[in-house]
Amino acid sequence: MGFVNTISLIIFDMDGLMFNTESLAIYTWIKAGKSYDIHIAESIVEESIGLDIQGAEKVFKKHLGENFPYHDIRSLRLKYAREYIDENGIPAKKGLHELLEFLDQKPVLKAVATSTERQRTEHLLLSAGVKDKFDLIICGDDVSNGKPEPDIFLAAARELNCEKDECVVLEDSANGIIAASRANMILF
């Protein structure tokens, strides 16, 4: 990829990049597993980070067996996470608000591209007071193939009429980095 003179779109991942929800995910998966008398190792949760629901389910069943009640435990995990966020607020990463304010002064579009499903994404963005800072929100349930496939990033560029080589992706998970690389976008 050559030198880019123009950046027209900044694409933000959400979990782990904007919000410290990955630590919360680990804690709530383990807690929910205990409610079912199932030990869920931190490494299993870490392996699933950045994947959509179907990809994460495959990871959990690979390690815990095909009979692992993924959807039941996931529902309980999300309940625990929502209770934590409702009580304590969303743990936003340091500098998020300042970065968004800085970008508001620049001629650049901003999008969220997250593997998280829309309902939860919108709840988190609203809770953090940043939903209105983005021109577009693309969620895991908006695309056929989740990360590490590039679909979510390509959809963001397409919907905002931006060229791939003018898009910067801010990503923290291995699966997201692979997806951004496959999309041939600038990665940070």
Side-chain angles (χ1 to χ4, degrees):
M1 184 182 312
F3 181 78
V4 176
N5 290 323
T6 304
I7 295 173
S8 58
L9 174 60
I10 309 283
I11 304 173
F12 288 74
D13 175 45
M14 188 179 70
D15 294 301
L17 183 93
M18 293 195 302
F19 308 132
N20 189 15
T21 49
E22 292 178 354
S23 298
L24 183 58
I26 291 168
Y27 169 75
T28 55
W29 269 111
I30 292 170
K31 182 178 177 181
K34 285 180 183 175
S35 296
Y36 281 77
D37 292 323
I38 297 173
H39 171 71
I40 298 175
E42 186 174 321
S43 60
I44 296 170
V45 181
E46 288 172 346
E47 187 179 335
S48 74
I49 289 174
L51 297 174
D52 62 9
I53 295 171
Q54 295 80 15
E57 181 178 11
K58 288 177 186 172
V59 168
F60 278 87
K61 288 187 174 186
K62 174 178 80 174
H63 293 285
L64 299 169
E66 283 301 315
N67 293 327
F68 175 74
Y70 175 80
H71 294 284
D72 294 335
I73 294 178
R74 181 179 178 277
S75 292
L76 184 57
R77 178 208 95 69
L78 291 174
K79 176 182 175 277
Y80 290 153
R82 187 175 195 114
E83 288 171 355
Y84 177 89
I85 290 167
D86 289 346
E87 189 172 309
N88 301 292
I90 184 73
K93 292 282 188 109
K94 183 178 179 181
L96 172 65
H97 294 280
E98 294 82 0
L99 175 59
L100 291 172
E101 287 176 25
F102 172 78
L103 292 174
D104 280 344
Q105 307 305 313
K106 304 299 177 195
V108 65
L109 296 168
K110 297 179 298 300
V112 173
T114 178
S115 296
T116 302
E117 67 280 357
R118 181 159 299 278
Q119 182 180 3
R120 183 164 182 270
T121 296
E122 291 192 5
H123 175 72
L124 294 176
L125 293 171
L126 280 169
S127 296
V130 298
K131 183 178 180 220
D132 63 340
K133 296 287 188 180
F134 294 96
D135 301 289
L136 178 68
I137 299 167
I138 301 280
C139 301
D141 46 4
D142 295 329
V143 294
S144 297
N145 300 304
K147 299 173 188 175
E149 297 307 317
D151 300 29
I152 199 162
F153 297 127
L154 296 172
R158 184 175 50 254
E159 288 196 33
L160 290 172
N161 297 312
C162 297
E163 297 296 324
K164 293 186 301 185
D165 63 353
E166 294 179 355
C167 298
V168 171
V169 176
L170 305 178
E171 180 61 73
D172 69 307
S173 74
N175 290 307
I177 291 168
I178 293 167
S181 177
R182 289 177 176 172
N184 293 316
M185 293 180 176
I186 304 162
L187 180 61
F188 283 99

